[in-house]
Amino acid sequence: IHAFDTYKLFLTELEARSRELGLDRFVCTHCADMRTIPERFQNIDLLWSEGAAYSIGFEHALTSWTRAVKPGGFVVVSELCWSSDRPPAPVKDFFRSEYPAMKSVEANLALAEKAGYRVLATHALPSSAWTEGFYDVLKPRARKLLAHPDDEVKAYARHMTTEIEMFERSEGSYGYTFFVLQTAAS
């Protein structure tokens, strides 16, 4: 297992947990951008990207990763998608500036097929994936930080509370969808 992240602390935690479980000989970490995957690896059996492809652009990730995944190999990737063509105006405005590249599930399916993948399945995460253990924990913490003396911390807290508010007002108009894809066999 090769794990990529640009945040070294996450990788350090993964290394420690894999040591504790006696799995460290199977885990190799890389503090690197996901863009470098095709340069570093070829013939990947399974490339799993959970909530991170957007950092290099979903379409770019799909097209570049085809060079890294072996023929007949798999890519499982999640992407933030519109699930409604009529999201509430404040939500649409928020994402117009926050993530303007966000597309519908159907548009992302077309991108995957254009990049040469066969779509095996999709799975929309339930809203509880956002709330339980994430927003329900983050919301009170962010509200407390609104009174923090550091302006950058306050700005981040405002941003987080706005993001949470948009989710609460979203009427289910967006969410994460997993795409289970397979490259063409040679």
Side-chain angles (χ1 to χ4, degrees):
I1 298 170
H2 292 271
F4 275 73
D5 206 303
T6 55
Y7 189 52
K8 182 65 177 161
L9 181 59
F10 289 157
L11 298 170
T12 302
E13 289 176 15
L14 174 61
E15 291 165 354
R17 288 175 64 196
S18 63
R19 262 192 312 279
E20 289 170 10
L21 296 169
L23 300 172
D24 52 315
R25 68 182 184 275
F26 301 113
V27 178
C28 183
T29 61
H30 306 273
C31 191
D33 190 295
M34 295 175 75
R35 280 183 184 84
T36 66
I37 290 174
E39 299 160 14
R40 294 173 177 230
F41 297 98
Q42 290 76 45
N43 293 322
I44 295 172
D45 295 308
L46 169 64
L47 192 154
W48 187 284
S49 173
E50 202 166 322
Y54 80 93
S55 69
I56 62 172
F58 187 68
E59 183 174 13
H60 175 73
L62 293 178
T63 57
S64 69
W65 292 346
T66 57
R67 298 189 316 268
V69 178
K70 76 177 188 178
F74 301 90
V75 172
V76 178
V77 57
S78 67
E79 174 67 347
L80 190 61
C81 300
W82 290 114
S83 52
S84 166
D85 57 356
R86 294 180 185 254
V91 174
K92 188 174 183 176
D93 291 342
F94 177 77
F95 281 106
R96 189 174 289 131
S97 65
E98 198 62 30
Y99 189 33
M102 189 161 71
K103 295 176 177 33
S104 67
V105 172
E106 294 77 20
N108 286 324
L109 288 169
L111 289 176
E113 290 171 351
K114 179 182 167 191
Y117 295 97
R118 185 167 70 117
V119 178
L120 301 177
T122 61
H123 174 72
L125 289 181
S127 62
S128 60
W130 292 80
T131 54
E132 296 171 15
F134 185 52
Y135 282 161
D136 64 347
V137 173
L138 190 56
K139 186 176 183 177
R141 290 178 182 176
R143 284 188 172 160
K144 285 181 184 176
L145 291 174
L146 289 171
H148 196 277
D150 185 313
D151 287 339
E152 287 184 35
V153 172
K154 282 194 283 197
Y156 182 74
R158 274 192 304 277
H159 179 77
M160 288 312 307
T161 55
T162 300
E163 178 182 316
I164 294 166
E165 179 186 333
M166 291 301 107
F167 180 78
E168 291 169 346
R169 296 174 67 182
S170 72
E171 299 172 8
S173 60
Y174 69 91
Y176 271 103
T177 298
F178 272 95
F179 296 84
V180 182
L181 310 172
Q182 185 176 29
T183 60
S186 58

